[in-house]
Amino acid sequence: MKIPDISISACGYSQVLEIISNKWAGSVIYALEDGTLRYGEVKNRIEDISQKMLTQTLKQLERDGLVRREVKPSVPPIVEYSLTDLGETLIPCMRMLKGWALNHYSSVNKAREEYDRTN
Amino acid sequence: MKIPDISISACGYSQVLEIISNKWAGSVIYALEDGTLRYGEVKNRIEDISQKMLTQTLKQLERDGLVRREVKPSVPPIVEYSLTDLGETLIPCMRMLKGWALNHYSSVNKAREEYDRTN
DNA sequence: CGGAATCCCTACGGATACTG
DNA sequence: CAGTATCCGTAGGGATTCCG
């Protein structure tokens, strides 16, 4: 009996992670959850993000079709970001992840302390 | 009116990611979903994983209390891995992520092609 | 069989300075 | 205001070799 290779079934999983696993993507999606924000507003809502990483993350999310970028031609420039319909579909997943964390993260921390004490 | 800082509310999210966002953790959890496996069996089920990363991932998951490691004292050694109860609680989240990927990843790919063509 | 140890390369990401 | 550009340290992770 051959043991099945699960790489393929796990593959969908790694594709999502490719999108949301970077350090800031989640925070950006959360920030845009309530509606449209200007660049600076996004930055203000995410305390420790650097300007470089915010720009880079927004660009990646735009490329993935999750975030929409609109430039109002004016001086000084106004650039607004919002979730696309596709981006909205990700919200339930992220809520579930966050829910898991809130419910179980203390267990994880206890396990870590225990592990670090005995190893 | 002050714009709220969402760092704290996104924090739970980043905690889960800390656990499952590394390249192989998801695949390992999927591999153990059906029950107990020996080290080599896990390795066989995950096609392209290196020995180093499998060991490292298993150790991390064990430290987080998601995976249980049992050594049968014998020669040659037998080491078995399985999900803990805490580990099992993560399965629904991962199924949901995978479901999202299966439903929407083609849209992401289309968005990327479109983006790359016009930029 | 189930690792540990080492080497090495790359990508991620922070800090800083500059621009239309 | 909303970015670009550059420098640079660190961590992730592959390949290889060795060990109980």
Side-chain angles (χ1 to χ4, degrees), chain A residues 3 10 16 28 32-33 36 39-40 52 54 82-83 89 98 109:
Chain A
I3 297 172
V16 207
V28 169
L32 294 175
E33 194 175 350
T36 300
Y39 181 90
K52 172 184 173 180
L54 177 55
S82 55
L83 291 182
T89 65
K98 195 174 152 188
N109 271 329

Side-chain angles (χ1 to χ4, degrees), chain B residues 2-119:
Chain B
K2 192 177 178 310
I3 297 171
D5 173 4
I6 56 118
S7 307
I8 297 167
S9 59
C11 153
Y13 175 73
S14 63
Q15 289 174 330
V16 209
L17 285 184
E18 189 186 332
I19 297 175
I20 60 164
S21 79
N22 87 62
K23 193 173 179 184
W24 300 108
S27 298
V28 169
I29 293 177
Y30 271 122
L32 293 175
E33 196 175 349
D34 303 325
T36 301
L37 292 178
R38 294 181 59 176
Y39 182 89
E41 293 173 329
V42 179
K43 187 154 178 10
N44 285 334
R45 296 195 72 181
I46 308 175
E47 182 147 33
D48 288 326
I49 196 169
S50 67
Q51 176 268 319
K52 173 184 172 179
M53 292 319 296
L54 177 55
T55 300
Q56 183 176 306
T57 303
L58 283 168
K59 199 175 288 180
Q60 178 216 306
L61 291 173
E62 189 196 356
R63 175 169 183 264
D64 289 342
L66 303 174
V67 161
R68 180 173 29 247
R69 177 177 188 268
E70 286 167 301
V71 184
K72 317 255 178 184
S74 62
V75 181
I78 293 179
V79 183
E80 293 185 334
Y81 293 91
S82 54
L83 290 182
T84 62
D85 290 346
L86 184 59
E88 306 268 9
T89 65
L90 207 47
I91 301 270
C93 291
M94 298 195 32
R95 282 202 210 284
M96 190 164 182
L97 281 178
K98 195 175 152 187
W100 186 91
L102 294 177
N103 285 329
H104 300 289
Y105 203 75
S106 62
S107 305
V108 172
N109 270 328
K110 271 178 25 192
R112 283 181 184 171
E113 287 173 25
E114 175 71 16
Y115 183 95
D116 292 343
R117 197 162 351 97
T118 62
N119 287 286

